[in-house]
């Protein structure tokens, strides 16, 4: 980011390549609609460009980036609050052959083993349904932590609450997901090999 701030356009391309997919996944899970998520992602990168001169490395770039994305998601959700969001289980209307597959299945799954991939393919629709039932602040923390890998301290900075509040929301999110998944017929822990099954 500092290189881009100094006028290196290639540095911006590197930032987009590195952060585009995880930020898009966060936005998509926040707003629940692919077209809106793409719009918000574009707005996020435009805001990064427009705010480049103001950027100061007080916090990590990812914290700054996710704060921008989150604020734009909140604004988009407020503007579209009257509109019903599309579920990640709804069929995708993509030109790339994904038509008919649920939106959630089209999200990248970096480096998953075939066994874990099969496990996740079975669980993903149920997890997405359970996730969408969580209160927004719990869902937001869960997505930032489990899908984007953001540490609790940075999530606190992004969301503007204390780290203890973030950890509490995560605990409630996990409890809510376990309860909802149990209602949907999924037994056992949410974790596999020590990680939450979120991929």
């Amino acid at each position: 980011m500092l290189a881009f701030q100094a006028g290196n356009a290639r540095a911006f391309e590197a930032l987009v390549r590195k952060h585009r997919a995880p930020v898009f996944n966060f936005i998509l899970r926040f707003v629940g609609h692919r077209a809106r998520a793409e719009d918000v992602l574009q707005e996020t990168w435009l805001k990064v460009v427009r705010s480049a001169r103001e950027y100061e490395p007080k916090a990590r770039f990812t914290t700054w980036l996710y704060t921008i994305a989150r604020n734009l998601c909140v604004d988009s959700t407020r503007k579209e609050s009257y509109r019903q969001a599309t579920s990640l289980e709804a069929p995708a209307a993509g030109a790339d052959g994904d038509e008919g597959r649920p939106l959630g299945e089209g999200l990248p799954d970096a480096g998953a083993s075939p066994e874990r991939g099969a496990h996740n393919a079975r669980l993903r629709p149920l997890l997405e349904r359970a996730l969408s039932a969580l209160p927004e602040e719990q869902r937001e923390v869960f997505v930032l932590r489990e899908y984007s890998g953001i540490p609790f301290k940075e999530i606190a900075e992004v969301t503007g609450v204390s780290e203890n509040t973030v950890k509490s929301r995560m605990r409630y999110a996990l409890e809510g997901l376990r309860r909802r998944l149990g209602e949907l017929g999924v037994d056992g822990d949410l974790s596999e090999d020590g990680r939450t099954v979120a991929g």
Side-chain angles (χ1 to χ4, degrees):
M1 184 61 194
L2 293 176
F4 173 61
Q5 203 175 33
N8 182 345
R10 286 183 185 255
F12 181 73
E13 292 171 17
L15 287 173
V16 172
R17 266 194 315 274
K18 181 177 181 182
H19 298 286
R20 184 189 188 286
V23 171
F24 179 74
N25 288 339
F26 166 71
I27 293 169
L28 179 59
R29 285 182 169 90
F30 197 107
V31 301
H33 188 266
R34 192 170 206 72
R36 277 178 58 209
E38 289 168 358
D39 290 344
V40 172
L41 180 67
Q42 192 166 6
E43 286 179 52
T44 300
W45 289 115
L46 284 172
K47 181 115 176 152
V48 167
V49 170
R50 288 187 192 126
S51 304
R53 289 186 182 148
E54 302 160 22
Y55 173 74
E56 294 179 19
K58 294 176 184 172
R60 292 178 49 182
F61 172 74
T62 52
T63 304
W64 187 66
L65 177 62
Y66 277 95
T67 301
I68 290 171
R70 177 188 181 269
N71 290 340
L72 290 170
C73 285
V74 169
D75 290 347
S76 175
T77 302
R78 284 183 187 144
K79 288 176 192 171
E80 300 288 330
S81 61
Y82 63 90
R83 199 181 78 65
Q84 185 176 358
T86 301
S87 165
L88 288 176
E89 295 173 26
D96 58 355
D98 280 350
E99 190 140 336
R101 288 179 54 207
L103 280 173
E105 287 182 18
L107 301 175
D109 189 5
S113 69
E115 296 81 14
R116 186 174 174 103
H119 181 71
N120 287 350
R122 243 183 15 257
L123 277 183
R124 182 172 286 134
L126 298 175
L127 180 59
E128 294 298 342
R129 189 180 307 163
L131 195 54
S132 68
L134 290 177
E136 185 177 302
E137 67 273 0
Q138 292 174 21
R139 183 174 61 245
E140 173 182 60
V141 169
F142 182 86
V143 169
L144 283 169
R145 177 71 177 176
E146 295 300 321
Y147 287 90
S148 300
I150 307 293
F152 287 128
K153 183 177 181 183
E154 288 184 43
I155 294 171
E157 292 175 39
V158 168
T159 57
V161 297
S162 73
E163 189 173 347
N164 284 338
T165 299
V166 167
K167 289 177 180 177
S168 175
R169 287 178 181 176
M170 183 65 171
R171 183 171 45 83
Y172 288 128
L174 290 171
E175 289 170 4
L177 287 172
R178 281 188 189 99
R179 185 173 50 253
R180 182 69 179 127
L181 286 170
E183 292 168 4
L184 294 170
V186 178
D187 291 328
D189 198 355
L190 279 181
S191 64
E192 178 183 307
D193 299 330
R195 284 198 67 232
T196 302
V197 178

